[in-house]
Amino acid sequence: MHEEKRAPAVALSGIRKSFGSQEVLHGVSLSAQEGEVIAILGSSGSGKSTLLRCANMLEIPNAGKVSIMGEEITIDPGTGCMPRPADPRQLNRIRERAAMVFQSFNLWSHLTILQNVMEAPLHVQRRPRNEVRAEAEALLERVGIEAKRDKYPSELSGGQQQRAAIARALAMRPDVLLFDEPTSALDPELVGEVLRVIRDLAAEGRTMLIVTHEMAFAREVSTRTVFLHQGEITDDGPTSEMFANPCSDRFRQFLARADASSH
């Protein structure tokens, strides 16, 4: 008897996305199995962040299919060329399952760090306050900023704010974590503390898609690497093989440039 094959944690199929007359993604397909950590690399403007944002519908694809944990998101083609999710409740459910960590933190400035982490589990998932608070405090301890729980975002360094944003994403108990250049807004000396948290999450076997320009980190943490060039995936494979023996000239040049700039 064959074991039933599990659906991928994330499945993007034939994703096309345009902004005005410019098509940024040209029919991209990418799937992530549970426990995979995928680094999404590419030059600026290659479509990496747009692809990631399509995974939880922060950007609505003009064509293609998106499934999270086997559930396909129903898209209403809309009038003209403005598609939109057909079911707002499904959209909310999907965003709980695939939580995003942004490069600019996106914390609520009027709430303390603890309140930031508690907000969505309380008001979106309607979980009991005592349970949510205990979990939020444990998450802040886990990312190393429990002492800052009563501070406001403006009182924290960029690295501390990003760790708070990771705790906030984890508070939703997501199946998938989506990281959009999580260190690009940070001063160089603060990058390490955020990467350390993400490294720990990867070690737990969490499913993660990480858009990053930190090559050494991508190489160390990801199980698989994909390379986007001008809205198409040109390279995709196990990270160790991809870095040791790039398939395309584009990716080889990209790595060479990244290597040169790091010295």
Side-chain angles (χ1 to χ4, degrees):
M1 216 171 114
H2 291 298
E3 191 179 325
E4 193 177 330
K5 196 162 184 259
R6 296 182 76 163
V10 180
L12 308 173
S13 176
I15 300 295
R16 291 185 175 275
K17 178 63 185 174
S18 300
F19 296 103
S21 60
Q22 185 189 7
E23 188 172 65
V24 179
L25 296 173
H26 312 302
V28 176
S29 295
L30 173 67
S31 65
Q33 301 300 325
E34 284 185 59
E36 265 196 305
V37 179
I38 299 181
I40 302 174
L41 308 180
S43 303
S44 185
S46 60
K48 322 181 285 296
S49 290
T50 301
L51 180 64
L52 194 74
R53 291 169 70 87
C54 284
N56 75 343
M57 293 282 147
L58 285 170
E59 298 291 355
I60 313 302
N62 295 87
K65 295 178 179 178
V66 177
S67 297
I68 302 292
M69 302 303 291
E71 180 178 359
E72 186 179 328
I73 302 172
T74 312
I75 298 177
D76 177 353
T79 51
C81 55
M82 287 301 291
R84 58 193 175 86
D87 180 354
R89 283 173 308 186
Q90 184 194 40
L91 182 63
N92 290 337
R93 189 165 64 246
I94 290 295
R95 286 189 178 153
E96 288 176 37
R97 303 190 80 174
M100 176 80 90
V101 177
F102 301 89
Q103 65 184 77
S104 53
F105 326 134
N106 286 22
L107 296 168
W108 289 294
S109 59
H110 65 291
L111 298 179
T112 66
I113 294 306
L114 183 62
Q115 288 168 336
N116 261 281
V117 177
M118 291 174 63
E119 183 77 0
L122 280 178
H123 298 291
V124 177
Q125 296 178 328
R126 302 193 180 283
R127 284 161 46 198
R129 177 171 287 274
N130 288 351
E131 173 192 292
V132 167
R133 185 185 178 97
E135 200 165 306
E137 288 174 346
L139 286 168
L140 290 176
E141 183 173 356
R142 184 166 159 199
V143 300
I145 54 169
E146 68 278 11
K148 305 288 184 185
R149 68 186 191 182
D150 297 322
K151 302 284 188 190
Y152 289 88
S154 60
E155 300 176 271
L156 271 61
S157 71
Q160 290 166 340
Q161 288 187 62
Q162 190 60 294
R163 284 186 281 160
I166 293 170
R168 182 180 61 177
L170 290 170
M172 297 297 279
R173 299 175 176 173
D175 296 299
V176 180
L177 286 166
L178 308 171
F179 290 92
D180 187 10
E181 304 231 13
T183 59
S184 65
L186 301 180
D187 294 331
E189 69 272 15
L190 300 177
V191 168
E193 63 192 52
V194 172
L195 296 185
R196 197 158 46 245
V197 171
I198 301 173
R199 194 180 290 122
D200 289 345
L201 293 171
E204 288 175 9
R206 285 183 175 271
T207 310
M208 303 198 285
L209 273 61
I210 308 172
V211 170
T212 184
H213 59 276
E214 300 279 347
M215 291 302 112
F217 171 69
R219 191 170 189 163
E220 176 197 348
V221 166
S222 66
T223 51
R224 194 168 131 220
T225 294
V226 300
F227 177 68
L228 257 77
H229 179 67
Q230 295 180 351
E232 295 179 356
I233 291 176
T234 60
D235 299 66
D236 179 355
T239 295
S240 55
E241 292 175 22
M242 288 274 286
F243 277 84
N245 190 19
C247 303
S248 71
D249 288 340
R250 291 283 181 196
F251 187 43
R252 194 173 291 112
Q253 290 161 8
F254 174 80
L255 289 178
R257 277 198 307 273
D259 195 41
S261 66
S262 68
H263 292 309

